[in-house]
Amino acid sequence: MYAADSIIDRQDNMIEKVEKIASKLKAFGIDAIVLHSAENRRYITGLKTSSGAVLITAEGKCACITDFRYIEVLSKKAYDNICSVYEVPQGMEDEFIGELLKRYHCKSVYIEHFRISAQHYNILKSTWKAELVESNGMIESMRAIKDARELEYIRVSQQIAEHSLDQTFKDVQVGMTEKEVEALLTWNLLKNGSENGIFGIVVASGPNSSMPHALPSGRRIDKGDFLLIDFGAIYNGYYSDITRTAAVGYATEEMKKVYDVVHKANCEAIAALGKGCCGSEMDRAARDIITQSGYGEYFGHGLGHGVGLEIHESPRLSKGSKEIIQAGNVITVEPGIYLPGKFGVRIEDLIYIGEDGIENLTSMTKELTII
Ligand SMILES: [Mn+2]
């Protein structure tokens, strides 16, 4: 129902992105940046590709290096005056980029050192004449601030996810396996317009729900179980993220008590959220509530993370995070309590940080639901 109408996102704002990158390069005194990572390539071109690279120079030149599989769709785009598209056989890309760097007189080049392998680094070092400099997440920090278009994609992505989860909860029956629930949810996601490539869906029932990232198993869902489902959709490359924990048939007093604590931690953390907050402060806002309730040792992961072209990106909300939350961030708030051998509860919302306050992109209820 929400499927993107084109296999490539038109990227009307590509000129602005390239100009912004060029001016950053100028400010840092670096002649060019080469993007090898799939997400950063997609950020610039709007196309999902399995290999290739994008070169942007401080002078504002942009070159997209791709192979036969993608040349048709990339060339069709109105890239004129913004980006040259080159078809280069797979495996020859870096050699070709080396030539471009020479042609453009680039003496220093940012590379994505934390995204390429040591082997790839060595190849670049021996192939290119330019000095290789670590980009230190220059593109990632741009990506952490979403523009109106990206926010809209995440909004649609979240709608697809919630609609799919709602349908799935309605179809869950006692006796179904976790794998069957995963299959139902996947079917619903794709039918509702999500791109494929969905990250590991967590479907954890009963005692399995105490393992925060449990893989769906052959365990059959039973009455009195908690059913924890954590996943997201993808729309035009942009992820969403949601976790809901529902009780099957009924909830015991202990289940209700733990659920209430997690619910309160989620709400209080969201209430404290805003631009200028530090990632670790936000984490503490939720953690204090869980600790005061006596469950501190059972909340062993961070409070949340940024979401965009990747499911986990900047900024991080965790105990040690020094990252400052900025207007334009889209982040998750997902406290949990996990009692080994018993059950676990996590409630995760997706939040947009605006200039004048936050917006919860999640509309699904987080009151304890019995299915
Ligand atoms: Mn998450």
Side-chain angles (χ1 to χ4, degrees), residues 199 213 230-231 241-243 303-305 307 311-312 332-334 346 348:
F199 66 101
H213 270 190
D230 180 0
F231 72 105
D241 204 356
I242 181 168
T243 308
L303 179 67
H305 53 87
V307 174
I311 184 58
H312 298 125
T332 69
V333 171
E334 46 182 311
R346 177 163 66 257
E348 173 179 35

Short mmCIF file of all heavy atoms in Angstrom, two decimals, residues 199 213 230-231 241-243 303-305 307 311-312 332-334 346 348, ligand 1:
data_model
loop_
_atom_site.label_atom_id
_atom_site.label_comp_id
_atom_site.label_asym_id
_atom_site.label_seq_id
_atom_site.Cartn_x
_atom_site.Cartn_y
_atom_site.Cartn_z
N PHE A 199 16.13 -6.01 8.63
CA PHE A 199 17.12 -6.56 9.56
C PHE A 199 16.47 -7.61 10.45
O PHE A 199 15.25 -7.73 10.46
CB PHE A 199 17.73 -5.45 10.41
CG PHE A 199 16.74 -4.79 11.34
CD1 PHE A 199 16.72 -5.13 12.68
CD2 PHE A 199 15.85 -3.85 10.87
CE1 PHE A 199 15.82 -4.53 13.54
CE2 PHE A 199 14.94 -3.25 11.72
CZ PHE A 199 14.92 -3.59 13.06
N HIS A 213 17.91 -9.90 21.92
CA HIS A 213 17.94 -10.05 20.45
C HIS A 213 17.79 -11.52 20.06
O HIS A 213 18.49 -12.01 19.18
CB HIS A 213 19.21 -9.44 19.87
CG HIS A 213 19.04 -7.99 19.51
ND1 HIS A 213 19.97 -7.27 18.79
CD2 HIS A 213 18.02 -7.14 19.75
CE1 HIS A 213 19.53 -6.03 18.63
NE2 HIS A 213 18.36 -5.93 19.20
N ASP A 230 10.35 -7.08 17.83
CA ASP A 230 11.19 -5.91 17.57
C ASP A 230 11.64 -5.97 16.12
O ASP A 230 12.23 -6.95 15.69
CB ASP A 230 12.42 -5.95 18.49
CG ASP A 230 13.36 -4.76 18.27
OD1 ASP A 230 13.07 -3.90 17.42
OD2 ASP A 230 14.39 -4.71 18.97
N PHE A 231 11.35 -4.92 15.37
CA PHE A 231 11.66 -4.95 13.92
C PHE A 231 11.42 -3.56 13.35
O PHE A 231 11.03 -2.63 14.05
CB PHE A 231 10.72 -5.96 13.22
CG PHE A 231 9.32 -5.44 13.14
CD1 PHE A 231 8.80 -4.95 11.94
CD2 PHE A 231 8.53 -5.34 14.27
CE1 PHE A 231 7.53 -4.41 11.88
CE2 PHE A 231 7.27 -4.79 14.22
CZ PHE A 231 6.76 -4.33 13.02
N ASP A 241 11.73 1.63 13.37
CA ASP A 241 12.08 0.69 14.45
C ASP A 241 10.99 0.75 15.51
O ASP A 241 10.59 1.84 15.93
CB ASP A 241 13.44 1.08 15.04
CG ASP A 241 14.15 -0.09 15.72
OD1 ASP A 241 13.56 -1.19 15.79
OD2 ASP A 241 15.30 0.10 16.18
N ILE A 242 10.52 -0.40 15.90
CA ILE A 242 9.49 -0.47 16.94
C ILE A 242 9.61 -1.79 17.69
O ILE A 242 9.95 -2.82 17.10
CB ILE A 242 8.07 -0.31 16.34
CG1 ILE A 242 6.98 -0.35 17.43
CG2 ILE A 242 7.78 -1.37 15.27
CD1 ILE A 242 5.59 0.09 16.97
N THR A 243 9.36 -1.75 19.00
CA THR A 243 9.21 -2.98 19.78
C THR A 243 7.94 -2.89 20.59
O THR A 243 7.68 -1.86 21.24
CB THR A 243 10.38 -3.19 20.77
OG1 THR A 243 11.61 -3.07 20.07
CG2 THR A 243 10.31 -4.56 21.44
N LEU A 303 19.85 2.79 25.92
CA LEU A 303 18.46 3.22 25.80
C LEU A 303 17.99 3.33 24.34
O LEU A 303 16.83 3.05 24.04
CB LEU A 303 18.26 4.58 26.48
CG LEU A 303 16.84 5.14 26.41
CD1 LEU A 303 15.88 4.28 27.22
CD2 LEU A 303 16.79 6.58 26.87
N GLY A 304 18.89 3.71 23.45
CA GLY A 304 18.43 3.86 22.07
C GLY A 304 19.54 4.28 21.12
O GLY A 304 20.71 4.34 21.48
N HIS A 305 19.13 4.58 19.88
CA HIS A 305 20.09 4.86 18.81
C HIS A 305 19.39 5.64 17.70
O HIS A 305 18.16 5.62 17.59
CB HIS A 305 20.62 3.53 18.26
CG HIS A 305 19.53 2.58 17.84
ND1 HIS A 305 18.97 2.61 16.60
CD2 HIS A 305 18.86 1.61 18.53
CE1 HIS A 305 18.02 1.68 16.52
NE2 HIS A 305 17.92 1.07 17.69
N VAL A 307 18.27 6.33 13.79
CA VAL A 307 17.74 5.45 12.74
C VAL A 307 17.69 6.26 11.45
O VAL A 307 17.34 7.45 11.46
CB VAL A 307 16.32 4.97 13.11
CG1 VAL A 307 15.69 4.18 11.96
CG2 VAL A 307 16.33 4.13 14.38
N ILE A 311 19.88 0.85 10.41
CA ILE A 311 19.01 0.66 11.58
C ILE A 311 19.68 1.18 12.85
O ILE A 311 19.01 1.67 13.75
CB ILE A 311 18.54 -0.81 11.72
CG1 ILE A 311 17.56 -0.96 12.87
CG2 ILE A 311 19.69 -1.80 11.82
CD1 ILE A 311 16.33 -0.11 12.78
N HIS A 312 20.99 1.09 12.92
CA HIS A 312 21.71 1.65 14.07
C HIS A 312 22.69 2.69 13.57
O HIS A 312 23.64 2.36 12.87
CB HIS A 312 22.49 0.57 14.84
CG HIS A 312 21.60 -0.49 15.42
ND1 HIS A 312 21.75 -1.83 15.17
CD2 HIS A 312 20.55 -0.40 16.26
CE1 HIS A 312 20.82 -2.52 15.81
NE2 HIS A 312 20.07 -1.68 16.48
N THR A 332 15.59 6.14 18.70
CA THR A 332 14.69 5.23 19.41
C THR A 332 14.84 5.43 20.91
O THR A 332 15.89 5.86 21.40
CB THR A 332 15.02 3.74 19.11
OG1 THR A 332 16.28 3.42 19.72
CG2 THR A 332 15.08 3.47 17.63
N VAL A 333 13.76 5.13 21.62
CA VAL A 333 13.80 5.07 23.09
C VAL A 333 13.26 3.68 23.43
O VAL A 333 12.09 3.40 23.18
CB VAL A 333 12.94 6.18 23.71
CG1 VAL A 333 12.82 5.97 25.23
CG2 VAL A 333 13.56 7.54 23.43
N GLU A 334 14.14 2.80 23.93
CA GLU A 334 13.74 1.40 24.08
C GLU A 334 14.27 0.74 25.35
O GLU A 334 15.12 -0.15 25.30
CB GLU A 334 14.17 0.58 22.87
CG GLU A 334 15.59 0.82 22.38
CD GLU A 334 15.92 -0.01 21.14
OE1 GLU A 334 15.64 -1.22 21.15
OE2 GLU A 334 16.46 0.55 20.18
N ARG A 346 10.27 -5.15 26.50
CA ARG A 346 10.90 -3.95 25.93
C ARG A 346 9.80 -3.17 25.23
O ARG A 346 8.92 -3.76 24.60
CB ARG A 346 12.02 -4.33 24.94
CG ARG A 346 12.65 -3.12 24.27
CD ARG A 346 14.01 -3.40 23.60
NE ARG A 346 13.97 -4.29 22.46
CZ ARG A 346 14.33 -5.56 22.47
NH1 ARG A 346 14.78 -6.11 23.58
NH2 ARG A 346 14.27 -6.29 21.37
N GLU A 348 9.58 0.10 22.65
CA GLU A 348 10.42 0.98 21.83
C GLU A 348 9.58 1.90 20.96
O GLU A 348 8.75 1.45 20.17
CB GLU A 348 11.32 0.13 20.93
CG GLU A 348 12.12 0.96 19.93
CD GLU A 348 13.04 0.11 19.06
OE1 GLU A 348 12.67 -1.02 18.72
OE2 GLU A 348 14.14 0.60 18.75
MN MN B 1 16.04 -0.33 18.11
#
